[in-house]
Amino acid sequence: MTKTTIPVEEFAYPGSTGCPGCGANLVMRYMLKALGERTIVTIPACCWAVMPGYWPSNCLKVPLLYCAFEATGAAISGLRAALDVKGVEDVTVVGFAGDGGTVDIGLQALSGAAERRTDAIYVMYDNEAYMNTGIQRSGSTPWGAWTTTTPVGTSHGFKHESKKDIMAIMQAHKIPYAATVSPAFPEDFVKKIEKAKRTKGFKFIHALSPCPPGWKTNPSLSVEIARLAVDARVFPLYEIDEGKVHITRKGKGLPIVDYLKVQGRFQHLTEPEISSMQKIVDDNWIMLLLKESSGT
């Protein structure tokens, strides 16, 4: 029998109302495998606000608190403070929010929790738009992408702004640990969550989360697309441990077109536009290598 490389026990059961091929399902599943049953999760408005199911049904085996769209950072601070007052030290508090509720609407509360050094883990599952409300662009939507609020049409009106670098924002807060994870690499994923659990203070996890309806992709390809994002270095896997950058998987350096061509949201891009995206990816990769070599 083949030995499993990640924990066997499940704390996210079948029955979520997520779309077929939803990357956020795997993000929640792998996260809870690493954290275990002594975990409290708080979720703002986002896809996962409805995915656990309708009362009394619930696909999660851990306590769940819903909070306001902008309040995930405040919610985890409150939960941690309440547990501390009760003397409960063995429960991990997690804020689990989408990209819109993190880099846009929830950024103030996130910054506050990071500045206070709240002992909790904040996980942003990044499907790169407001998918739950109709695929509107967010600050995490990449340059060049179609969304319902950046329709291409006859004016070539895709998103013309860059994706916010949330990892750099978190690094600027000097938190003890931050990491990027992908559902295509579960061993790397679980290892980083376990490290975040062991680390005292505020931890941030940036998880890529392919979204078949929003990315206009085949649901059966979600894991493969997440793998392509790493191998094309669009979404490099690395961690920032006490300010030190460490790349955990360097990928194959595939051309970005391999990642773009399987997604309908990028099908309108011209060759010069794809070349521009390739240059941005290459520049970002060189910058990440420099950060690793310099130890910052």
Side-chain angles (χ1 to χ4, degrees):
M1 179 180 294
T2 303
K3 184 179 179 181
T4 58
T5 55
I6 61 175
V8 174
E9 192 169 359
E10 298 284 359
F11 300 96
Y13 298 128
S16 96
T17 61
C19 302
C22 174
N25 257 328
L26 288 175
V27 173
M28 177 66 82
R29 182 185 178 195
Y30 293 150
M31 181 194 76
L32 291 179
K33 276 179 172 289
L35 295 179
E37 194 168 18
R38 297 290 286 170
T39 301
I40 296 176
V41 178
T42 183
I43 301 176
C46 60
C47 293
W48 254 105
V50 295
M51 286 167 61
Y54 303 103
W55 176 261
S57 300
N58 187 349
C59 72
L60 300 180
K61 196 182 176 182
V62 299
L64 168 61
L65 170 71
Y66 287 121
C67 64
F69 211 157
E70 71 281 12
T72 308
I76 57 176
S77 293
L79 285 168
R80 183 73 266 164
L83 291 169
D84 289 345
V85 167
K86 290 179 172 293
V88 179
E89 299 179 352
D90 64 338
V91 170
T92 302
V93 175
V94 176
F96 194 86
D99 49 288
T102 301
V103 305
D104 295 337
I105 297 172
L107 189 58
Q108 178 188 13
L110 168 64
S111 177
E115 188 271 337
R116 289 188 295 271
R117 303 292 188 265
T118 295
D119 187 15
I121 302 173
Y122 191 114
V123 177
M124 179 180 96
Y125 67 95
D126 187 3
N127 51 27
E128 300 187 326
Y130 291 84
M131 299 305 185
N132 187 46
T133 51
I135 319 175
Q136 296 91 352
R137 56 103 67 200
S138 77
S140 197
T141 302
W143 186 95
W146 165 93
T147 69
T148 56
T149 49
T150 53
V152 178
T154 56
S155 61
H156 217 48
F158 52 79
K159 189 191 176 191
H160 287 273
E161 296 79 28
S162 299
K163 179 185 179 87
K164 289 183 184 177
D165 188 348
I166 188 64
M167 287 291 285
I169 294 172
M170 288 293 95
Q171 186 178 21
H173 282 73
K174 303 186 186 305
I175 61 176
Y177 188 73
T180 61
V181 297
S182 166
F185 298 94
E187 293 88 356
D188 178 86
F189 191 123
V190 169
K191 184 178 179 181
K192 287 171 176 170
I193 297 292
E194 291 175 339
K195 188 171 186 177
K197 181 180 179 180
R198 294 193 303 270
T199 302
K200 190 75 173 175
F202 189 85
K203 290 82 61 175
F204 184 84
I205 303 294
H206 182 186
L208 185 66
S209 180
C211 172
W215 294 14
K216 297 184 176 182
T217 56
N218 185 329
S220 68
L221 299 179
S222 291
V223 172
E224 180 57 27
I225 291 170
R227 186 184 305 279
L228 284 170
V230 174
D231 281 338
R233 295 171 177 161
V234 174
F235 192 85
L237 295 181
Y238 65 102
E239 59 187 1
I240 306 172
D241 189 353
E242 298 293 352
K244 307 294 184 184
V245 173
H246 171 58
I247 301 171
T248 59
R249 192 177 186 89
K250 294 195 173 181
K252 299 177 180 177
L254 298 177
I256 192 174
V257 67
D258 289 1
Y259 172 70
L260 301 179
K261 68 184 181 184
V262 292
Q263 303 179 56
R265 62 176 176 159
F266 294 117
Q267 292 305 301
H268 52 275
L269 295 178
T270 63
E271 287 190 13
E273 288 164 348
I274 292 173
S275 296
S276 295
M277 292 184 74
Q278 182 69 64
K279 185 176 188 312
I280 293 171
V281 168
D282 293 343
D283 289 346
N284 289 341
W285 176 249
I286 291 171
M287 182 60 68
L288 187 62
L289 290 173
L290 289 173
K291 285 183 176 180
E292 183 182 46
S293 62
S294 66
T296 59

